[in-house]
Structures are given as structure tokens and as C-alpha cells.
């Protein structure tokens, strides 16, 4: 009986040790996936950008290093607005963005109903899938966006109509992307980038809007899934 008892204790001890080692290993792997291995996470993210997000050869030039871009002077930022104004590379740039409270009555909304809890959120807003505001619909939306380069108005407001719940000023995720939305200038290509971050938890998103002195060019938006899979929720995240 004693031998059997000791064998059981020995097996349980070894089993617990293995479980602890596996838990430790899993924890380390999870941390690595979340981006604690910066260079590896950056490489994984850029591979995804090159293969799935920016696939047109003529747009590859818009893949950039955030640390090499020029900052545009910030005038003011608060919970509902942001204002940039600067003279950069011979271009006078001014951007004003303001938010307002999201009012359901002003939109055509298709709701997604969760059967078990009867909870509902906005699946479609004015026929489009919303970026941000997944949990019970958005709280804020774009009220107005004004962009002028050398006095020339850049029409880009409609490109942000399906983007909601900006995490204004301090996004809380990434040190390279404050204040939010962040305006940068790419001297090599002569274009401006407006980086955006918003939503919450599993509805978090990251966006990049491209325009030059004449017009809006394109936009790129990533939701929580690709950001999470590429270990992007870390302070050192550099985007693209």
C-alpha cells in the first residue's frame, strides 16, 4: 500500500511539474505573440501588410517607417476635436477634425441581435460595416473634417463616415501614434498620412488615410483580428 501511495504521489508531482512547465511555456509564447519580441512581431506585421493589405505595386511606396516621417505641428487636441497647422516642405497644411455624439435616430441601422443575451449592436450603419462601436453601437462620430494644403481643400470627410469612436489624443496603445488621430508627412513621396485608432477591446481598429496637396488618395483599415494575430498591441508598434 505504501509503495502504491508513493507511486501516486510521484506521478502527481511529475504531472504537476510538467503542467507548470507547460503553463510557463504557453505564457511565454502568448507574450511573444502579443509582440514582446519586437523585431519578430514587426516582421510578421509587415509580411501581412505586403501580402494582404497593400497589394497594388503602385501603392507599395505608401508603406513607411513612422520614425522617418515628419511631424505636423499640433495646435490643440481634446476629447472631441483636434487641430493641426504647419508649414512643412513648402506646403501650408491645416487639418481640423471634430466629433459629435452618435445619434441612432439620424442613421439607418441594421442591428445584430445576440440570441442568448438579447443584446444588440450595430451590424450596419447606413449600409456600411462600422469601424468602432461594435459594443452597443458607437458613442461618437465625425461631425466635421476640414483639410487645406496651400489653401486647396482636400475632400476626405466621406472617407471617415464609417469610422467611429476615435480614442482622442492619447490612444493608450502605441507610443508612436500619439496624439490620435496623428498627422504625418512623407517627404519622399510628397504625401500626408492621417493615422487613426479607435474602438475598444475586440473592436479596436487602426487606419491610415493618404492624401497629397491636391486630393485624397486611398485608405487602409485593420481591425482587431489582424492586429492581434501579428502582435501589434504593444507600445513599440510602428504601423506601416
Amino acid at each position: 500500500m505504501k509503495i502504491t501511495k508513493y507511486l501516486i504521489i510521484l506521478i502527481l508531482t511529475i504531472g504537476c511539474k510538467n503542467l507548470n512547465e507547460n503553463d510557463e511555456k504557453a505564457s511565454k509564447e502568448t507574450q511573444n505573440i502579443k509582440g514582446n519580441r519586437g523585431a519578430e512581431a514587426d516582421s510578421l506585421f509587415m509580411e501581412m501588410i505586403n501580402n494582404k493589405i497593400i497589394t497594388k505595386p503602385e501603392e507599395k511606396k505608401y508603406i513607411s517607417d513612422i520614425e522617418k516621417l515628419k511631424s505636423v505641428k499640433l495646435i490643440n487636441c481634446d476629447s472631441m476635436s483636434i487641430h493641426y497647422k504647419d508649414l512643412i516642405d513648402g506646403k501650408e497644411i491645416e487639418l481640423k477634425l471634430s466629433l459629435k455624439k452618435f445619434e441612432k435616430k439620424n442613421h439607418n441601422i441594421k442591428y445584430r441581435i445576440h440570441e442568448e443575451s438579447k443584446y444588440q449592436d450595430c451590424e450596419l450603419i447606413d449600409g456600411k460595416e462600422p469601424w468602432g462601436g461594435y459594443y452597443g453601437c458607437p458613442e461618437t462620430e465625425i461631425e466635421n473634417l476640414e483639410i487645406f494644403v496651400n489653401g486647396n481643400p482636400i475632400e476626405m470627410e466621406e472617407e471617415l463616415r464609417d469610422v467611429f469612436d476615435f480614442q482622442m489624443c492619447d490612444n493608450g496603445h502605441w507610443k508612436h501614434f500619439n496624439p490620435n488621430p496623428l498627422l504625418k508627412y512623407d517627404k519622399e513621396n510628397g504625401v500626408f498620412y492621417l493615422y487613426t485608432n479607435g474602438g475598444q477591446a475586440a473592436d479596436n481598429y487602426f487606419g491610415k488615410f493618404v492624401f497629397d496637396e491636391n486630393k485624397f488618395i486611398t485608405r487602409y483599415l485593420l481591425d482587431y483580428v489582424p492586429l492581434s494575430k501579428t502582435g501589434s498591441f504593444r507600445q513599440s508598434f510602428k504601423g506601416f
Side-chain angles (χ1 to χ4, degrees), residues 107-112 121-130 137:
H107 298 275
N108 179 16
I109 298 175
K110 177 185 177 182
Y111 290 97
R112 180 192 293 107
D121 50 49
C122 289
E123 181 177 5
L124 296 176
I125 299 176
D126 300 326
K128 296 181 179 180
E129 292 186 17
C137 299

Side-chain angles (χ1 to χ4, degrees), residues 138-184:
E139 293 183 4
T140 60
E141 63 179 310
I142 292 286
E143 179 177 40
N144 186 48
L145 174 63
E146 295 180 5
I147 306 174
F148 293 92
V149 184
N150 290 334
N152 180 44
I154 308 300
E155 300 299 331
M156 202 170 84
E157 187 171 330
E158 287 304 312
E159 301 298 330
L160 282 92
R161 283 296 176 193
D162 58 344
V163 183
F164 302 92
D165 285 359
F166 289 94
Q167 295 178 4
M168 295 297 291
C169 302
D170 183 355
N171 64 49
H173 294 304
W174 304 304
K175 66 180 181 181
H176 294 296
F177 295 95
N178 282 311
N180 180 61
L182 178 67
L183 185 60
K184 289 280 189 174

Side-chain angles (χ1 to χ4, degrees), residues 12 18 68 71 84 91 107 113 169 194 198 204 211:
L12 288 173
N18 288 338
K68 294 180 179 178
S71 296
Y84 289 96
K91 298 180 177 70
H107 298 275
I113 300 175
C169 302
L194 182 65
N204 202 271
F211 64 95

Side-chain angles (χ1 to χ4, degrees), residues 9-182:
I9 292 172
L10 180 62
I11 291 168
L12 288 173
T13 302
I14 293 171
C16 288
K17 183 181 178 183
N18 288 338
L19 283 172
N20 288 335
E21 286 177 352
N22 288 337
D23 286 345
E24 245 178 70
K25 183 179 179 183
S27 177
K28 287 179 181 178
E29 287 176 349
T30 300
Q31 288 178 349
N32 286 333
I33 289 171
K34 287 182 177 180
N36 288 338
R37 295 184 302 197
E40 188 172 334
D42 285 340
S43 177
L44 185 63
F45 178 79
M46 292 311 300
E47 182 181 346
M48 183 266 295
I49 293 298
N50 274 290
N51 295 332
K52 296 182 179 180
I53 305 302
I54 303 184
T55 56
K56 297 178 181 178
E58 65 272 20
E59 293 184 9
K60 295 291 183 181
K61 62 185 178 182
Y62 301 136
I63 298 175
S64 51
D65 182 344
I66 189 70
E67 294 180 318
K68 294 180 179 178
L69 299 176
K70 287 190 173 184
S71 296
V72 179
K73 184 179 179 181
L74 176 70
I75 303 300
N76 178 65
C77 186
D78 57 45
S79 63
M80 297 297 282
S81 66
I82 193 164
H83 181 198
Y84 289 96
K85 188 174 183 180
D86 206 349
L87 176 62
I88 188 165
D89 198 29
K91 298 180 177 70
E92 293 182 352
I93 171 71
E94 183 169 21
L95 183 149
K96 292 180 179 179
L97 182 148
S98 60
L99 306 180
K100 63 181 178 180
K101 182 181 177 182
F102 179 81
E103 297 285 356
K104 294 180 182 178
K105 64 183 180 182
N106 296 331
H107 298 275
N108 179 16
I109 298 175
K110 177 185 177 182
Y111 290 97
R112 180 192 293 107
I113 300 175
H114 302 269
E115 293 299 331
E116 292 182 4
S117 63
K118 302 303 179 183
Y119 175 82
Q120 65 181 23
D121 50 49
C122 289
E123 181 177 5
L124 296 176
I125 299 176
D126 300 326
K128 296 181 179 180
E129 292 186 17
W131 293 88
Y134 177 86
Y135 299 102
C137 299
E139 293 183 4
T140 60
E141 63 179 310
I142 292 286
E143 179 177 40
N144 186 48
L145 174 63
E146 295 180 5
I147 306 174
F148 293 92
V149 184
N150 290 334
N152 180 44
I154 308 300
E155 300 299 331
M156 202 170 84
E157 187 171 330
E158 287 304 312
E159 301 298 330
L160 282 92
R161 283 296 176 193
D162 58 344
V163 183
F164 302 92
D165 285 359
F166 289 94
Q167 295 178 4
M168 295 297 291
C169 302
D170 183 355
N171 64 49
H173 294 304
W174 304 304
K175 66 180 181 181
H176 294 296
F177 295 95
N178 282 311
N180 180 61
L182 178 67

